Amino acid sequence: MAPLKLNSKNLSQISAASEAQVKVPSYQRDGAVKEGIVHIGVGGFHRAHLAVYIDQLMQKHGTADYAICGVGLQPFDVAMRDVLRSQDHLYTVFERSAKGSSAHVIGSINSYLFAPDDREAVIAKMAHPDTHIVSLTITESGYYYNENTHELQSEHPDIQFDLDPANKKAPRTTFGFLYAALERRHQQGLKPFTVMSCDNMQKNGSISRHMLVSFARRRNPEVAKWITEQGAFPNSMVDRITPQTSATDKTALKDNFGIEDAWPVVTEPFMQWVIEDQFSDGRPPLEKVGVQVVKNVHVVEQFEKHKLRLLNGSHSALGYPGQLAGFKYVHQVMENPLFRRFMAQMMQEEVKPLLPEIPGFNIDEYCNTVIERFSNPTIMDQLPRICLNGSGKVPQFIMPSIAEAIWVTGPFRRLCFSTAAWFCYINGVDDSGKTFEIDDPMREELQAKARAGGTNPAELLSIKSLFGDDLRGDKRFIREITTAMEDITRDGIMKTLPKYID
């Protein structure tokens, strides 16, 4: 039987025709539900994470007040707009593991707004009384957060544009839209919606609050005070590996499940979300579908620290040297016994001793789960995805462990090797001399510093928005990273790596 195009009309046929029993929404959509969540940044992760949890609430528990209206702010979001529109805002989550695959059609995204088409429509949607939560997956760069000063990058041209009252009806940034909608709700006597960051950042809620309030103070101190007193910005820890969707994935979905989906999401079975119970205008019953809703931000931060340091830190520690060594996928790196031992030893000997104990949480089991997830051969997670935006990842995932190791004089050689690999990666040339693209908002500055410094890390470490004085001033750290950079540059990754394995 020919594959069926994914749309509302074909749902029953897709469910009936598939021998693999594709799950499809049986709940009502469109005007039969309220769109309680507006989500900015509808990419792969959102569609594999928050949207899946909401789909489960709608499917299993009849939740009808928290359907999602997706929003795209950037010109490149037009592709997502067009695909979702052509499929009645349906898409498929394609779970893959060594044990087998499954497909689930998700219907929780009920509509989609493309801001460049109509910026006022986005502001009005956020300001609508039905909107209780505005959630975000806008990546680190979308927060305009200075890692060194911990302040809003108020001098950035995009922020400057949105701060100009003349442009208040046509904002560019997430904060421009959030402020415009909240100002309108303030004028109308409504509660502020909850701003819920789902980005993979430490203290994502606290950062969202500080950046938005800083922005609001520059526009209207009264509105800023209202947001501070009545708004909510829950911190959360999110986790699910979601590689870029390939043409091969689309073909596999057609062949194995009979679904023609222009943009399915490929992901792993594992999924986790820990979120602080801080909401200003109600929330869906997330705990009913396995979300860990905790009362204390301290608990979130403990889970978050484990995840960022062990999982994300290890991802980066594999990604940059892996790409330099010529590997293409994460699982290929993990198949190499040297890399596998390197990662296990880095987690156990250098990262684990720095982490707090969480009651009921087995850190050794978590480390083993990380290794198992990275080894999944069916995900085909490409290293360029892991490596993109290193300026937002390495300072957050690896450098904090190095800084703490400096403080307690703990071991950190493998962490220094991983950082050195990123410094060498910035040049955009692998060990065989093949060039590759660097996808990073700071690429020009990073590459200029890397080329000026050569095997001396001082030039890159001088970027104060990324690195603190505690790193620049520590002789042991400088010695270790310089040695690693010299060895990688001279001998390549695979000849250098054994020096970092016991």
Side-chain angles (χ1 to χ4, degrees), residues 310 314 317-318 334 337-353 367-368 371 411-415 418 497-502:
L310 289 169
S314 298
L318 292 179
M334 289 300 294
L338 290 177
F339 270 108
R340 195 179 186 91
R341 285 171 59 199
F342 169 83
M343 195 185 92
Q345 290 175 7
M346 187 188 79
M347 285 196 292
Q348 285 290 336
E349 297 174 22
E350 296 184 4
V351 181
K352 174 184 168 181
C367 290
N368 291 335
I371 291 172
F412 64 177
R413 292 184 66 245
R414 299 176 185 90
L415 290 162
S418 303
L497 189 58
K499 298 179 182 180
Y500 294 86
I501 299 170
D502 296 334

Side-chain angles (χ1 to χ4, degrees), residues 7 66 70 91 141 170 181 187 195 243-244 250 259 310 357 501:
N7 56 40
Y66 287 95
Y91 65 93
S141 61
Q187 292 169 348
V195 177
Q244 293 176 339
K250 297 176 190 176
I259 303 172
L310 289 169
E357 290 188 15
I501 299 170

Side-chain angles (χ1 to χ4, degrees), residues 222-341:
E222 182 185 348
V223 175
K225 183 174 183 289
W226 174 72
I227 294 170
T228 301
E229 293 176 351
Q230 298 191 35
F233 301 78
N235 287 282
S236 66
M237 186 277 279
V238 298
D239 191 9
R240 198 174 204 191
I241 296 172
T242 310
Q244 293 176 339
T245 304
S246 69
T248 304
D249 296 326
K250 297 176 190 176
T251 300
L253 187 63
K254 283 183 185 179
D255 294 344
N256 297 332
F257 295 96
I259 303 172
E260 184 179 330
D261 186 338
W263 206 335
V265 179
V266 178
T267 190
E268 61 176 338
F270 183 91
M271 182 167 64
Q272 187 179 19
W273 190 11
V274 182
I275 187 165
E276 180 185 10
D277 196 2
Q278 292 292 330
F279 292 80
S280 54
D281 191 24
R283 67 168 175 85
L286 296 167
E287 58 275 14
K288 289 185 176 181
V289 288
V291 179
Q292 293 166 273
V293 182
V294 299
K295 294 181 179 180
N296 193 311
V297 64
H298 178 64
V299 179
V300 177
E301 289 177 346
Q302 287 186 317
F303 277 102
E304 184 177 60
K305 195 170 186 178
H306 283 73
K307 188 257 180 177
L308 294 177
R309 303 280 186 91
L310 289 169
L311 185 133
N312 296 110
S314 298
H315 240 165
S316 295
L318 292 179
Y320 300 110
Q323 181 142 351
L324 287 175
F327 292 98
K328 187 176 180 182
Y329 299 103
V330 173
H331 74 273
Q332 292 175 336
V333 181
M334 289 300 294
E335 286 171 355
N336 182 283
L338 290 177
F339 270 108
R340 195 179 186 91
R341 285 171 59 199

Side-chain angles (χ1 to χ4, degrees), residues 129-408:
D130 286 348
T131 299
H132 304 291
I133 296 169
V134 175
S135 52
L136 316 173
T137 46
I138 54 178
T139 75
E140 292 90 339
S141 61
Y143 290 83
Y144 297 91
Y145 174 67
N146 186 311
E147 289 279 353
N148 192 44
T149 66
H150 308 298
E151 298 298 332
L152 178 71
Q153 295 172 357
S154 56
E155 74 287 349
H156 193 285
D158 291 342
I159 296 293
Q160 285 289 309
F161 180 90
D162 282 1
L163 287 172
D164 186 342
N167 301 320
K168 67 178 183 179
K169 293 184 178 180
R172 292 177 178 173
T173 70
T174 296
F175 296 117
F177 280 97
L178 291 175
Y179 174 81
L182 284 167
E183 181 185 54
R184 193 171 297 183
R185 289 174 77 107
H186 180 251
Q187 292 169 348
Q188 294 172 351
L190 298 172
K191 293 180 180 180
F193 48 69
T194 296
V195 177
M196 185 173 72
S197 172
C198 298
D199 275 298
N200 185 31
M201 298 191 316
Q202 200 163 10
K203 298 183 178 177
N204 52 15
S206 299
I207 289 173
S208 300
R209 173 192 290 274
H210 187 43
M211 297 304 100
L212 179 57
V213 171
S214 296
F215 182 96
R217 282 199 193 105
R218 291 168 168 84
R219 286 287 298 273
N220 186 328
E222 182 185 348
V223 175
K225 183 174 183 289
W226 174 72
I227 294 170
T228 301
E229 293 176 351
Q230 298 191 35
F233 301 78
N235 287 282
S236 66
M237 186 277 279
V238 298
D239 191 9
R240 198 174 204 191
I241 296 172
T242 310
Q244 293 176 339
T245 304
S246 69
T248 304
D249 296 326
K250 297 176 190 176
T251 300
L253 187 63
K254 283 183 185 179
D255 294 344
N256 297 332
F257 295 96
I259 303 172
E260 184 179 330
D261 186 338
W263 206 335
V265 179
V266 178
T267 190
E268 61 176 338
F270 183 91
M271 182 167 64
Q272 187 179 19
W273 190 11
V274 182
I275 187 165
E276 180 185 10
D277 196 2
Q278 292 292 330
F279 292 80
S280 54
D281 191 24
R283 67 168 175 85
L286 296 167
E287 58 275 14
K288 289 185 176 181
V289 288
V291 179
Q292 293 166 273
V293 182
V294 299
K295 294 181 179 180
N296 193 311
V297 64
H298 178 64
V299 179
V300 177
E301 289 177 346
Q302 287 186 317
F303 277 102
E304 184 177 60
K305 195 170 186 178
H306 283 73
K307 188 257 180 177
L308 294 177
R309 303 280 186 91
L310 289 169
L311 185 133
N312 296 110
S314 298
H315 240 165
S316 295
L318 292 179
Y320 300 110
Q323 181 142 351
L324 287 175
F327 292 98
K328 187 176 180 182
Y329 299 103
V330 173
H331 74 273
Q332 292 175 336
V333 181
M334 289 300 294
E335 286 171 355
N336 182 283
L338 290 177
F339 270 108
R340 195 179 186 91
R341 285 171 59 199
F342 169 83
M343 195 185 92
Q345 290 175 7
M346 187 188 79
M347 285 196 292
Q348 285 290 336
E349 297 174 22
E350 296 184 4
V351 181
K352 174 184 168 181
L354 302 171
L355 296 173
E357 290 188 15
I358 301 175
F361 179 82
N362 188 315
I363 193 168
D364 293 322
E365 285 183 7
Y366 186 81
C367 290
N368 291 335
T369 300
V370 169
I371 291 172
E372 180 184 352
R373 293 170 66 193
F374 287 0
S375 303
N376 185 344
T378 65
I379 288 294
M380 304 295 284
D381 202 0
Q382 297 186 8
L383 291 179
R385 187 190 79 86
I386 303 303
C387 294
L388 64 82
N389 193 22
S391 64
K393 292 178 177 176
V394 173
Q396 184 184 182
F397 303 153
I398 294 178
M399 306 314 293
S401 293
I402 291 176
E404 287 186 28
I406 289 172
W407 181 254
V408 300

Side-chain angles (χ1 to χ4, degrees), residues 420 423-424 454-457 481-490:
F423 280 11
C424 294
T455 57
N456 186 336
I481 194 170
T482 300
T483 299
M485 289 178 71
E486 290 173 347
D487 289 352
I488 292 169
T489 301
R490 183 183 63 249

